[in-house]
Amino acid sequence: MRTDWQVVEVKKVCDLVVDCINNTAPTVDEQTPYKMLRTSNIGDGRLDLSDVKYVSEETYEEWTRRAEVKQGDVLLTREAPLGDVAYVNQEDTIFLGQRIMQYRANPDVLNPRFLSYAFLSPFVQAQIHKYKGSGSTVDHIRVPECEKIEIPLPNIEYQNKVAKILGSLDKKIDKNRQMNQTLENLAQAIFEGHFVEFEPYNDFKETEKGPIPSEFEVANLPALMNIVLGGTPKSDVDEYYGGDITWAKAKDVSQETEAFISSTEKSITETGLEESSAELVPEGTTVITARGTVGETALTPYEMATNQTCYGLVPENNQEKYFLYFLVKTHIERLRSRTHGTVFDTINMNTLREQEIILPPKKNASNLMKALSQ
């Protein structure tokens, strides 16, 4: 931060600073125009509406009596997790769920996009996270502190330039994410065509799973992998946290919109790894959530650790990582569809070991995965 910039309390340059209603809004099963935001919808400066809860018009009006969420507002999570940020880049009938703050910049002195980038900066994040562990079992920041957060404030012309440049980069990132999602969906469809619907095959045999291609076999899931359960270092030992080892929890996996785990809320140290039941899993491991939102999957982009809410499914051969990922993802989705959205309350080691799958010859799997990865 430049020394000639002002530093001001955020409430002094905002027309609106509002806390959510600290009560859970009643939701409805059917889709409506009215969406409740949760902390899981907020992160990396973006608002993700792919997984929201719906409410009635009456509930929406009641929960927006303090303020409606408008395009250009900036949102900040106060807890679970602490310090996630989103810029609202569209008009929609959305409202704040619990543990979320809403900021509306005074456009005469503060560019709203600049505000979102300021909140993401190390300067502001350090202020927010200094409240970690301050007398509570859950990391959180109180509303009065949210109003007093200090932000850097160059002149409005400079803010506009920063917002334009970073906003352009964000648009390119979003476009790349959309392309990656499209490619993943295409790969998933091709995978299912070959190994679930058996479209290229003509010669079948009867099994307890029904007719399958004659060269395929029925096996249990561990035939392809080793199963690793994660662990958690003691939360009250500071030297265990904040290190260089990425440490994923179920929430980190369930919030992902792409195949790979892009970021995690926390990291641990070598000491934390050594003095806990946490284990490192290699790049290309399929991580599956065992608690919380059960059955969510993602791949590790590099070596990392997980806590006990996740299992790491480590392929015996790294060349089979994509095959294992698509196989597990397809298998879980099919189970969900048969059980009206719920796989299991929890997944344990026996659950994974007992899952029967249909395996093609290794050459078939390898050839298709090589083609899809090119």
Side-chain angles (χ1 to χ4, degrees):
M1 185 177 69
R2 287 172 46 171
T3 57
D4 58 336
W5 290 1
Q6 296 183 64
V7 175
V8 300
E9 289 185 354
V10 66
K11 67 179 180 181
K12 295 181 179 178
V13 287
C14 283
D15 290 336
L16 180 74
V17 180
V18 175
D19 182 26
C20 59
I21 295 177
N22 290 307
N23 195 8
T24 302
T27 60
V28 296
D29 292 333
E30 69 273 12
Q31 289 192 14
T32 72
Y34 310 103
K35 309 175 186 72
M36 177 177 68
L37 297 179
R38 295 172 292 170
T39 57
S40 58
N41 301 119
I42 296 169
D44 296 327
R46 294 171 173 81
L47 196 59
D48 178 9
L49 300 181
S50 61
D51 180 25
V52 294
K53 297 291 185 180
Y54 297 93
V55 303
S56 67
E57 183 178 4
E58 293 75 18
T59 298
Y60 172 77
E61 291 177 352
E62 172 67 14
W63 256 255
T64 55
R65 64 181 187 269
R66 295 180 182 176
E68 294 182 354
V69 178
K70 298 290 188 180
Q71 184 175 5
D73 287 351
V74 177
L75 309 179
L76 174 72
T77 61
R78 294 198 298 109
E79 179 185 310
L82 171 64
D84 277 355
V85 180
Y87 174 79
V88 181
N89 63 3
Q90 74 275 351
E91 290 287 351
D92 205 339
T93 45
I94 55 180
F95 70 96
L96 306 183
Q98 293 191 69
R99 305 184 295 275
I100 302 173
M101 293 291 297
Q102 175 185 355
Y103 299 82
R104 186 168 299 157
N106 177 344
D108 293 332
V109 293
L110 180 61
N111 182 297
R113 274 199 177 272
F114 181 86
L115 174 60
S116 69
Y117 297 130
F119 272 175
L120 288 166
S121 70
F123 177 75
V124 173
Q125 285 291 313
Q127 296 176 59
I128 295 170
H129 285 83
K130 74 180 181 181
Y131 295 99
K132 278 190 171 184
S134 55
S136 172
T137 56
V138 179
D139 296 335
H140 75 288
I141 180 172
R142 299 187 305 117
V143 173
E145 278 86 21
C146 290
E147 296 175 345
K148 295 177 182 177
I149 292 171
E150 293 184 332
I151 63 168
L153 193 71
N155 63 60
I156 191 67
E157 291 79 12
Y158 191 94
Q159 292 178 44
N160 292 339
K161 290 179 181 178
V162 170
K164 183 177 181 180
I165 293 170
L166 295 182
S168 177
L169 291 174
D170 273 345
K171 287 180 181 178
K172 290 181 180 179
I173 291 171
D174 289 339
K175 187 174 182 180
N176 286 337
R177 284 180 171 176
Q178 292 171 6
M179 290 174 61
N180 289 340
Q181 187 61 58
T182 299
L183 291 172
E184 183 186 345
N185 291 341
L186 178 60
Q188 182 82 35
I190 295 172
F191 175 91
E192 292 185 13
H194 277 71
F195 302 129
V196 178
E197 305 300 333
F198 311 128
E199 292 170 356
Y201 303 98
N202 297 312
D203 188 14
F204 289 80
K205 63 183 178 183
E206 286 295 330
T207 70
E208 65 271 25
K209 304 289 284 184
I212 65 173
S214 57
E215 293 184 342
F216 286 43
E217 62 177 343
V218 177
N220 289 333
L221 199 54
L224 279 180
M225 65 188 187
N226 297 311
I227 305 173
V228 177
L229 176 63
T232 300
K234 290 182 179 179
S235 58
D236 58 351
V237 181
D238 291 341
E239 64 179 301
Y240 289 168
Y241 291 91
D244 296 328
I245 299 173
T246 304
W247 183 64
K249 300 182 293 184
K251 190 170 186 178
D252 299 315
V253 178
S254 61
Q255 288 181 351
E256 276 302 333
T257 58
E258 299 184 15
F260 288 91
I261 299 173
S262 59
S263 63
T264 60
E265 182 184 354
K266 293 186 177 181
S267 63
I268 60 175
T269 62
E270 289 283 352
T271 305
L273 180 69
E274 293 169 0
E275 298 185 8
S276 71
S277 58
E279 294 185 42
L280 289 174
V281 293
E283 176 268 330
T285 296
T286 294
V287 178
I288 182 169
T289 57
R291 300 177 193 172
T293 307
V294 177
E296 296 293 325
T297 55
L299 281 163
T300 58
Y302 42 77
E303 187 178 62
M304 65 172 59
T306 70
N307 78 348
Q308 68 275 13
T309 64
C310 301
Y311 287 98
L313 312 183
V314 184
E316 292 188 348
N317 184 333
N318 190 258
Q319 294 179 347
E320 298 172 353
K321 60 186 177 184
Y322 295 120
F323 177 80
L324 177 59
Y325 169 73
F326 285 121
L327 177 69
V328 171
K329 187 174 181 181
T330 300
H331 188 69
I332 291 297
E333 288 303 320
R334 289 170 74 85
L335 281 173
R336 275 204 181 101
S337 66
R338 295 172 188 169
T339 54
H340 306 288
T342 302
V343 185
F344 314 98
D345 291 332
T346 61
I347 291 178
N348 57 38
M349 197 74 79
N350 288 334
T351 303
L352 292 171
R353 287 172 176 160
E354 292 169 1
Q355 293 305 306
E356 287 189 332
I357 54 174
I358 299 170
L359 285 182
K362 285 194 174 184
K363 63 179 181 179
N364 297 44
S366 297
N367 290 340
L368 181 61
M369 290 301 103
K370 284 179 182 178
L372 291 177
S373 63
Q374 291 176 352

